[in-house]
Amino acid sequence: MSRPLLLSPAFLFTALLAPALAEEKVQFNRDIRPIFSDTCFQCHGPDEKERKAGLRLDTRETAVKPSESGEIAIVPGKPEASELVKRLTTTDKDDVMPPPKLHKTIKPAQIETIKKWIAQGAEYQGHWAFLPPVRPVVPPASQEIRNAIDNFILARLAKDGLKPSPEADKATLIRRLSLDLTGLPPTPQEVDAFVADASPNAYEKVVDRLLASPRYGERMAIDWLDYARYADSNGFQSDSSRQMWNWRDWVIDAFNRNQPFDQFTIEQLAGDLLPNAARDQIVATGFHRNARLNGEGGRIIEEWFAETVIDRVETTGLTWLGLTFNCCRCHDHKYDPITQKEFYQLFAFFNSGDENGVLDDFGGAGATRRGGNSRPIIDLPAPEQEVQMAKLEAALKTAQQRVAAAQKELPRLQREWEGKYRAELEQQVEAWQALAPTEVKSEGGATLTRQEDGSWLASGTNPPHETYTITAPLAAGSFSGLRIDALPDPSLPNKSLGRNGNGNFVLTGVEVEISAPTLTEQLVVDFKRAEADYEQKGYEVKFIVEEGAKRGTAARGKKGWAIDGPTKRDPRKAMFVTATPLTVPPDATIIVRLKHESSFAHHNIGRFRLNVTAQPPAVVKLDGGQTPENIRAALAVEPAKRTPAQRAELVKFHRANTDNPATRADAEVAAAKKKFEEFRVALPSTMVMKELPQPRAAFLLKRGEYDKRGDQVERGVPASLPPLPPGAPVNRLGLAQWIVSPQNPLTARVWVNRAWERFFGIGLVRSTENLGSQAEWPSNPELLDWLATEFVRLKWDMKAMQKTMVMSASYRQSSKVTRELIERDPENRLLARGPRFRLPAEAIRDQALAASGLLVEKVGGPSVRPYMPAAVWDETSKYGDLRGYQADVGAGLYRRSLYTIWKRTASPPSMTMFDSPTREICTVQRSRTNTPLQALSLLNEVTFVEAARVLAQRMITEGGAT
């Protein structure tokens, strides 16, 4: 007879309680915060100004507090009594939350999770990313592992009943490693060597070789250029070119020499503020000089300055902290505990950059002074260029010494000059004599009418390009120069000087010929010097003489003399002077042709007058005439009785208007200075940061508008994060030290999460650009915190941290996919198989060049111009060297894509096609798309077609006998 089964009371209690004990506790950070952040925080989050009904759900104390009407949003332990649950489940359209107009819905399963959380006591947690990472205990492994990463991955797989995949074959591993660490595929020889290497550390040797390769820095720099919004142009409408490639070289070098990430950060944010900053540390600050520059004429300087500083705050937040600060410029953050005031406290750190001043000489080789609109710039001459600079400086010093020696002779020469000059004063005539034309013609069909003052006014037809031919008698004697007076007239557009609709003109050529009965052929005048009393920037009168020299005469050229027609209505003068006087025989005739052949149609002079001079070329002046009255008066006084002012005026006049040793020495100094400046301007340079001597006051900007100042703010960091480190300066340097302080909970997490994304395709937190409240819960939070603490333990050693990741068995797994894995983990978040994802744009092109043998491997240097479609940037470039794009010839066609010239408003098409950003703003995470255009690009783009042809040639010549 069987005995009945007797159950003890303790056993019965345990059995009944087992389901509840097995039920997993709902975590606010993992389960609830993502729901609230997505659907509730917009109206019931940190932003006080936008908060509805006074309800705040991101903190427990406010969520459980009764409202004025007595309702309580969350009653811990009682979901049925919680107003939040009632609003989520009601069918009343007026009461249901979230409101239908927001087009946000909470799924039934999410509502059940919220109920369960409230029933369990509605326990809140601070946002996980704002809490210091705590180094977790490494879980035990049930099978062979390579390092601690595998322990965490295996523990997570076991939780879901999954097993890891076997290790990939060696050929796959070396290809994966090579592309991930260098962006280039392995060579056949490297594959063969690895496959044949049977040593236990064969794989590690490959890892170490790739990490030591100069290609490593190039691959790592690609992502960093996206963060820094690096480009070779300024952005905005004109989008003209800039020179920042030296900063790019610094980044590549910093990665290659494995600069610790904390120092890498400090130098880029505040290298100029380090004690005795080296030149390279100053160059590093180009990170924040990569911002867009607005050079448009109609810009408001104050607005542009505010936008630039705001961009630096937002870029710093995205790059290092993984936080979006964009909305904080206008109001408190809707999702994260960052107030608008705190945004402008960060703004204050970047508010005192020198945007328009000169760059002080930092004492390093090549540091120079440049100011104005160019922003602080540092010159970076190569050693051989420094030698040349020293020679040019020595030549300038020698010329200046000659000036000093020549000045000693001036008193004697002046006494001799005064005696002769007094005798000439009575017979002196005007230096410039007006021409009296006998014929004035327009080749374009315009009507030219003589005016009372002897000038000629154009009317009627205004052709796209025009030549005025003026014929006039020329007095016998000497000829040394021609002066053109451009005059305004009420009949001209804008009452200006030119015939174009905006009143401007561009004179591109001045041709002069002299004929006479006694001359066997016409005398063609060759001008050597040109001056004007006003010149539009980029359209100087010197271009007319320079173009003339190329053709033997002052002939036409695409550039010439212009006068800013829309804003200039004053008379303007330009003169053209010969090297030596020309002898004019009796009965001579002068023929002058004024040419307008620029790329701008209808830009013709509207009213003009011509004058000639017979003065020695060295003394010809634009407004030269009779001796000024003050000089006449001074000469009339006995030398001993002249005032100091009169003596100074005579010395100046004599020196400027006679051919004497001091004048010649002055010309030599001017020529030496010009050579030095031309050489200096052509030196490689880069923009850098520089702090003003006194900090600029910062203010909260209402609604983020530059001209609506609120309260003044001081520099500071968000209260939800640790304070500045003790003793840190309250400037950019202190801010940088705070960012990389081990106490900052974000920085290490952000970096390791992005490194994980680079090697495994998706970050442990999917949104690698945002670890704030709207980020998803990490797929493996313990692993994320272990990696973050390990990174700090390794003293921010980037190569060591990356080596740890790629040495793991998880990284080495085969990427073969089974039906089970597709169904249970389609995105491979749990890492039951190896990574498999599309290469970035640069690696796709570089791989084609490398496989074909076309790739030119040279580290660093200026940007290059590979094949691109004809006129690729003409529509987005009004002027400058990015218009009329011409591909390089030779090596420039086959450099790594990292070095391709990058226009900010229209990035290179082959890069854009494969999802590269424009780099107008900081971009942390590139998208990955799959479009027909990508396939068409690989089939038709010149680089890929050429690489395919060369690869085919290699197969024929190097492929063996088969």
Side-chain angles (χ1 to χ4, degrees), residues 474-490:
L474 184 63
S478 293
F479 173 86
S480 58
L482 174 78
R483 190 182 77 192
I484 303 169
D485 299 343
L487 307 169
D489 193 87

Side-chain angles (χ1 to χ4, degrees), residues 96-274:
V96 69
M97 291 293 160
K101 65 180 181 180
L102 294 182
H103 303 291
K104 291 180 179 290
T105 58
I106 296 185
K107 299 175 182 178
Q110 293 176 316
I111 294 175
E112 290 304 314
T113 301
I114 292 172
K115 287 180 181 180
K116 188 182 296 183
W117 170 66
I118 295 175
Q120 292 175 353
E123 181 181 336
Y124 271 75
Q125 299 167 305
H127 180 44
W128 63 267
F130 286 29
L131 301 175
V134 177
R135 193 172 180 86
V137 175
V138 178
S142 59
Q143 61 189 78
E144 184 181 353
I145 54 101
R146 299 287 184 178
N147 58 36
I149 289 175
D150 301 323
N151 294 67
F152 289 99
I153 296 295
L154 289 171
R156 185 69 179 83
L157 290 175
K159 185 177 179 182
D160 283 72
L162 294 174
K163 294 182 178 180
S165 297
E167 185 167 294
D169 62 85
K170 279 191 164 185
T172 298
L173 284 178
I174 191 171
R175 176 174 170 78
R176 182 184 298 171
L177 268 177
S178 298
L179 288 169
D180 281 348
L181 293 178
T182 71
L184 294 174
T187 65
Q189 294 77 16
E190 289 169 342
V191 174
D192 292 342
F194 177 52
V195 170
D197 190 346
S199 62
N201 66 335
Y203 180 84
E204 185 174 10
K205 286 190 291 184
V206 173
V207 173
D208 290 340
R209 174 177 62 79
L210 294 172
L211 288 171
S213 168
R215 297 170 167 180
Y216 165 82
E218 294 176 319
R219 170 61 189 95
M220 295 301 117
I222 291 172
D223 297 326
W224 201 256
L225 299 188
D226 286 353
Y227 304 167
R229 61 266 193 256
Y230 173 88
D232 297 292
S233 70
N234 290 326
F236 295 96
Q237 182 179 348
S238 56
D239 204 14
S240 54
S241 60
R242 62 162 56 164
Q243 190 177 103
M244 286 296 295
W245 59 266
N246 278 287
W247 174 81
R248 179 178 61 198
D249 282 3
W250 180 89
V251 172
I252 296 169
D253 180 65
F255 279 118
N256 277 334
R257 55 189 168 87
N258 198 27
Q259 186 177 48
F261 185 72
D262 56 346
Q263 192 64 22
F264 181 73
T265 296
I266 288 170
E267 291 187 9
Q268 289 185 87
L269 288 177
D272 57 309
L273 299 179
L274 290 169

Side-chain angles (χ1 to χ4, degrees), residues 813-829:
Q813 294 177 95
S814 167
S815 60
K816 291 180 180 179
V817 183
T818 65
R819 183 178 298 277
E820 180 189 14
L821 290 180
I822 284 290
E823 292 174 353
R824 298 186 61 183
D825 186 17
E827 293 184 300
N828 198 28
R829 301 301 306 280

